[in-house]
Amino acid sequence: MSMSQTFATFVAHFAIHFIMATTIKRKAASFRLPDYLLEGLKNEARKQHRSVNNLVEFFLVNSLFPEPNAETLEAMEECKSGAELDELTDDDINNLEEYIQHL
C-alpha cells in the first residue's frame, strides 16, 4: 500500500470516528468508583490521549460488543482492499479539514 493510500485509509477511519462521535445520542450517567479505579482510568486515558469518558465508552463497547457488526466488517474490508480510495494530492494533505468535509 502506498503512502497516499495509507493516509487515505487513516483519513477514512478518522472521518468514520468523527461522524460516529457527533451523531450518537448520549445520556449522562453517574457511577461511584473506588478512588484507585478512577485514578487508573485517568492515567490510562492520559497515556492514550483520550478523555476518561471516551476510554470508559471504548472499554464498555468492546466488552459488550466484541465482534464488529456487518457494516463495520464491510467498511474494514473496503479499507483493506484499497477499493474506491482517492489518491491524495499534496493540496489535499495541506487542506485536510476541507478534504474530510468532502468525504
Side-chain angles (χ1 to χ4, degrees), residues 7-76:
F7 188 71
T9 301
F10 165 78
V11 170
H13 283 277
F14 174 81
I16 289 167
H17 289 288
F18 177 77
I19 290 166
M20 287 179 64
T22 58
T23 59
I24 295 173
K25 289 184 180 181
R26 290 177 168 81
K27 291 186 178 184
S30 178
F31 295 94
R32 295 185 186 278
L33 299 172
D35 287 343
Y36 74 91
L37 186 55
L38 184 57
E39 286 306 312
L41 287 168
K42 287 178 182 179
N43 288 335
E44 187 60 28
R46 197 173 305 114
K47 286 180 198 173
Q48 295 187 27
H49 305 286
R50 298 173 179 254
S51 67
V52 171
N53 187 81
N54 179 267
L55 182 67
V56 170
E57 183 177 349
F58 173 79
F59 285 155
L60 290 172
V61 167
N62 285 325
S63 178
L64 295 171
F65 310 105
E67 296 297 321
N69 64 25
E71 184 179 358
T72 302
L73 288 170
E74 184 180 325
M76 291 166 63

Side-chain angles (χ1 to χ4, degrees), residues 1-10 81-82 85-88:
M1 184 180 286
S2 72
M3 182 68 129
S4 300
Q5 288 174 322
T6 301
F7 188 71
T9 301
F10 165 78
S81 73
L85 290 178
D86 294 337
E87 283 290 323
L88 293 178

